[in-house]
Amino acid sequence: MESNDAITGLSALAHDGRLDLFRRLVQAGPSGMPAGALASAAGSAFTTTSAQLNVLSQARLVTSQRVGRSVIYAANYDTIRGLFAFLLEDCCQRRPEILQDLITTNPDVKDQS
């Protein structure tokens, strides 16, 4: 991943509404969610949600696919992995064990099991 792509991705996530939608899509898994369901779940207007999803799409953090009359959005896990890899590339002198317990020790991360 190039620096400009990372900046675009991080900028797209630097908004509470977009971050909320992004997190919902990551949690929804590869099947994604319809745009209307995302707007309802987020408690925001459809036009606002659409604009926020457009920014996330331009950053390639989410994908969209028309299914009938609905547009289904899904997290783009390849881009997400690339962004995390970019951020961690030079971290900790290439000693991954330093970050091994990052999720399990973070009290803000909810157990998904």
Side-chain angles (χ1 to χ4, degrees):
M1 175 171 281
E2 299 292 325
S3 292
N4 286 341
D5 295 329
I7 291 167
T8 299
L10 293 170
S11 295
L13 294 173
H15 179 276
D16 59 344
R18 290 192 298 265
L19 182 60
D20 179 53
L21 293 172
F22 173 78
R23 292 183 72 180
R24 289 176 191 279
L25 288 171
V26 168
Q27 292 171 4
S31 60
M33 290 178 70
L38 277 167
S40 293
S44 63
F46 183 77
T47 54
T48 301
T49 301
S50 179
Q52 292 170 340
L53 289 167
N54 187 41
V55 173
L56 293 170
S57 292
Q58 289 178 352
R60 297 184 5 224
L61 293 169
V62 302
T63 61
S64 63
Q65 177 182 0
R66 181 166 291 282
V67 177
R69 296 178 62 193
S70 296
V71 178
I72 308 298
Y73 285 88
N76 185 342
Y77 293 103
D78 289 337
T79 299
I80 295 166
R81 276 190 288 277
L83 181 58
F84 288 145
F86 178 86
L87 292 173
L88 297 175
E89 183 174 353
D90 299 316
C91 178
C92 309
Q93 300 172 348
R94 300 202 189 277
R95 292 179 47 212
E97 70 275 8
I98 292 173
L99 297 176
Q100 185 173 10
D101 295 329
L102 181 65
I103 291 177
T104 59
T105 60
N106 185 344
D108 295 331
V109 176
K110 298 174 183 77
D111 185 6
Q112 298 294 319
S113 55

